[in-house]
Amino acid sequence: MVVLKKRAVATVIVVIMLFSSYIASASRQDGIPVLLYHHVGNDDGGLPRLTITADEFERQVALLHNAGFETISPEQLIAYMKREEVSLPERPILITFDDGYDDNYANALPILQKYGFKAVFFVVGINVDRAQRLSAQQVREMAKSGFAIGGHSMTHSDLTQLSGPELEHEILDNKRQLEGITHQESLFFSYPYGFFNLRSWKKIESAGYQGAFTVLSGVNKAGRDNIFLLRRIPIFSTTDFDALLARLTGTYSAHMLLDYLPEHMDSIINSATDGLL
Ligand SMILES: [Zn+2]
């Protein structure tokens, strides 16, 4: 009887060990998620779909934190994508913000810091120091505090529609400007509206950026996805974050997250058409 009990306990332990190692390795095996935020605060700047309140942002960050997610740097993501040796947490995630709103500094930053999270802020060149946008001083301070500052073009134009010199201005001048502000290299780019083509991708690469982010949905998987076409999951005011988290913490496969796409791609396309992203 005692022997049987011991065997049963041993079996349960082995099953639990196997199960937890399967769960633990699930997220890295299946790819790394990158979240995309815009406004965080009470003032939506006329963009309600792209705005979540600070309370909701903190709820989402706390849920990620409690689920064991740890933010990684974009450099770690790129190393993983290139299959280089890199130390990653059990549940890695990257958090990004597009467009450089000043509420990112005022509202999102303190919450990220409270939970020990990092993020990447993609800044539009001509908007620096404009009303409701990040100031050069704030951008510098964020970079100093260990947050990455990336390019999001000079004027938020659709890069696929530009001539060579215009493309050069949008990508290179934005990079130089941000580096002048932060005194650090700006190594990552996000495509305005998520629009990309081969020319813009190659220009971003030759400008010295190490990777570029789209709004293609799903998670980023080494060996499958391109580092200049990285996927992101946009978080809208209408996003069911608990349902998303359930997928991210489950034993999802990369394509399972792609069916998260339709509703959100509609929103992206609508937003892009409205010139909002
Ligand atoms: Zn944008």
Side-chain angles (χ1 to χ4, degrees):
M1 194 64 185
V2 174
V3 173
L4 272 178
K5 262 192 184 166
K6 271 188 182 165
R7 266 191 199 161
V9 168
T11 309
V12 168
I13 288 173
V14 168
V15 167
I16 288 173
M17 281 171 66
L18 284 173
F19 187 65
S20 12
S21 72
Y22 178 63
I23 293 288
S25 60
S27 53
R28 266 189 287 172
Q29 266 176 10
D30 292 334
I32 296 183
V34 179
L35 304 186
L36 164 60
Y37 291 92
H38 290 83
H39 274 295
V40 175
N42 294 324
D43 180 3
D44 65 19
L47 306 174
R49 196 164 37 198
L50 299 181
T51 304
I52 61 169
T53 63
D55 283 350
E56 175 59 16
F57 183 68
E58 175 150 16
R59 191 185 76 87
Q60 296 183 3
V61 169
L63 283 170
L64 290 169
H65 184 262
N66 294 341
F69 280 99
E70 292 175 55
T71 51
I72 59 168
S73 67
E75 285 88 349
Q76 282 174 293
L77 174 67
I78 298 299
Y80 157 82
M81 295 299 289
K82 289 179 166 175
R83 297 181 190 271
E84 290 170 1
E85 211 159 293
V86 58
S87 163
L88 288 172
E90 287 298 330
R91 281 192 170 155
I93 195 164
L94 190 68
I95 295 181
T96 69
F97 292 80
D98 273 10
D99 297 347
Y101 294 112
D102 63 352
D103 59 27
N104 294 175
Y105 176 87
N107 301 329
L109 203 67
I111 294 168
L112 291 166
Q113 286 173 322
K114 180 174 164 185
Y115 290 86
F117 275 16
K118 294 292 185 206
V120 191
F121 296 88
F122 292 106
V123 176
V124 176
I126 56 161
N127 288 337
V128 175
D129 283 327
R130 282 193 174 170
Q132 268 121 46
R133 303 289 180 142
L134 292 169
S135 68
Q137 176 60 37
Q138 289 168 333
V139 169
R140 191 175 303 118
E141 197 185 309
M142 289 157 90
K144 248 190 196 166
S145 310
F147 292 88
I149 304 297
H152 194 41
S153 83
M154 207 64 194
T155 69
H156 209 275
S157 298
D158 172 0
L159 300 184
T160 66
Q161 301 300 313
L162 301 182
S163 68
E166 288 170 329
L167 201 55
E168 187 111 350
H169 169 64
E170 291 289 346
I171 294 166
L172 269 175
D173 290 349
N174 185 210
K175 189 172 194 294
R176 288 192 194 116
Q177 172 209 23
L178 294 176
E179 291 175 347
I181 292 171
T182 62
H183 306 297
Q184 294 178 16
E185 261 196 292
S186 181
L187 296 173
F188 304 93
F189 189 86
S190 84
Y191 296 92
Y193 315 104
F195 294 162
F196 59 85
N197 60 5
L198 190 59
R199 281 178 66 237
S200 51
W201 159 9
K202 289 296 161 192
K203 182 58 77 181
I204 289 162
E205 190 171 6
S206 66
Y209 281 111
Q210 293 186 358
F213 293 81
T214 68
V215 288
L216 294 169
S217 202
V219 293
N220 296 286
K221 189 166 172 144
R224 182 196 66 185
D225 294 307
N226 189 287
I227 55 170
F228 287 94
L229 301 175
L230 292 163
R231 299 170 185 277
R232 289 189 293 177
I233 301 168
I235 307 300
F236 297 106
S237 54
T238 50
T239 297
D240 182 345
F241 196 81
D242 301 72
L244 174 62
L245 188 72
R247 291 194 182 198
L248 292 177
T249 50
T251 53
Y252 65 86
S253 58
H255 68 266
M256 265 177 70
L257 268 169
L258 294 177
D259 67 16
Y260 178 74
L261 179 78
E263 180 213 339
H264 298 280
M265 263 328 267
D266 283 352
S267 305
I268 284 284
I269 289 160
N270 291 339
S271 298
T273 314
D274 300 344
L276 300 181
L277 273 182

